[in-house]
Amino acid sequence: LALRRKLDDRVGVSMTLNNIGVVAWTRGDVPRAEGAWRESLDISREIGSRPVTAMLLSNLAESCLQDGRYDEAEVLLVEAQAITTETGDRRTLCSILMNVAALEMARGRSTSALETAGRAVTEAESLGGRRLLGLALVALGDIETGVARTDQTGAAADAAVEAWCRAIDLATE
């Protein structure tokens, strides 16, 4: 990072900061992750890297969701979704949709959450990536589990198990 800064390699600095954020997030160091992502976001905006900006907005939104900062997450997700619509970046859109579904669920909008998670799965299926589809299926399973807590018929629980089984099948193929 220091060398990239010294060379004024703005793209390299932004990419390195994003990676630092991902590692920090994985280790549970949320403040460091958010700090790295916010600095990377500032740089990506300065250099006009719209796809990277959308990805970073989604990363930050996920962190906000985990911390209960739903209004901030929504603002970030709206901007990220607008960018992916503009650029046609369907892979990042799929990740954004998973976060939007989680936000909808956190706000008690289970029907909207299910629709959005289903859209993420459909989008991932159309892209053909197994990893992204697996993540979308897990997100759908999580939403279905939340719905199952109030569903007396058991259909949501069955749907959650089905989504998770599909994700496991993808991982073991």
Side-chain angles (χ1 to χ4, degrees), residues 25 54-55 57-63 65-66 73-74 77 80 92-106 116-117 120 139 143:
W25 174 261
M55 177 194 61
L57 290 166
S58 184
N59 289 352
L60 284 165
E62 184 173 355
S63 183
L65 284 168
Q66 296 297 319
E74 182 175 22
L77 290 168
T92 302
L93 174 61
C94 188
S95 296
I96 291 165
L97 289 173
M98 288 182 252
N99 284 333
V100 170
L103 175 62
E104 292 294 328
M105 196 64 190
T116 304
I143 300 295

Side-chain angles (χ1 to χ4, degrees), residues 5-173:
R5 286 188 198 276
K6 186 174 182 175
L7 295 172
D8 197 31
D9 176 5
R10 306 293 285 155
V11 173
V13 169
S14 180
M15 289 172 50
T16 302
L17 286 166
N18 177 54
N19 290 337
I20 289 169
V22 170
V23 170
W25 174 261
T26 302
R27 292 181 172 180
D29 189 349
V30 176
R32 184 166 187 198
E34 284 194 14
W37 286 333
R38 287 186 193 283
E39 186 178 350
S40 181
L41 178 61
D42 289 343
I43 294 167
S44 72
R45 287 184 197 277
E46 286 173 18
I47 63 177
S49 181
R50 306 284 285 156
V52 173
T53 297
M55 177 194 61
L56 290 162
L57 290 166
S58 184
N59 289 352
L60 284 165
E62 184 173 355
S63 183
C64 290
L65 284 168
Q66 296 297 319
D67 196 33
R69 294 177 283 150
Y70 302 139
D71 291 341
E72 185 178 353
E74 182 175 22
V75 169
L76 295 166
L77 290 168
V78 166
E79 182 181 355
Q81 199 165 3
I83 291 169
T84 57
T85 299
E86 172 191 314
T87 62
D89 182 356
R90 293 174 50 215
R91 289 191 187 287
T92 302
L93 174 61
C94 188
S95 296
I96 291 165
L97 289 173
M98 288 182 252
N99 284 333
V100 170
L103 175 62
E104 292 294 328
M105 196 64 190
R107 288 188 161 163
R109 299 181 210 148
S110 58
T111 300
S112 177
L114 285 170
E115 290 170 1
T116 304
R119 186 172 160 216
V121 169
T122 300
E123 194 70 36
E125 286 173 332
S126 73
L127 291 167
R130 291 168 38 135
R131 181 181 180 279
L132 189 60
L133 177 56
L135 291 171
L137 286 165
V138 168
L140 177 60
D142 290 346
I143 300 295
E144 291 283 8
T145 298
V147 172
R149 291 185 183 110
T150 59
D151 176 24
Q152 301 300 314
T153 68
D158 292 344
V161 169
E162 180 182 335
W164 287 329
C165 286
R166 281 186 64 200
I168 290 167
D169 288 346
L170 281 172
T172 58
E173 286 180 354

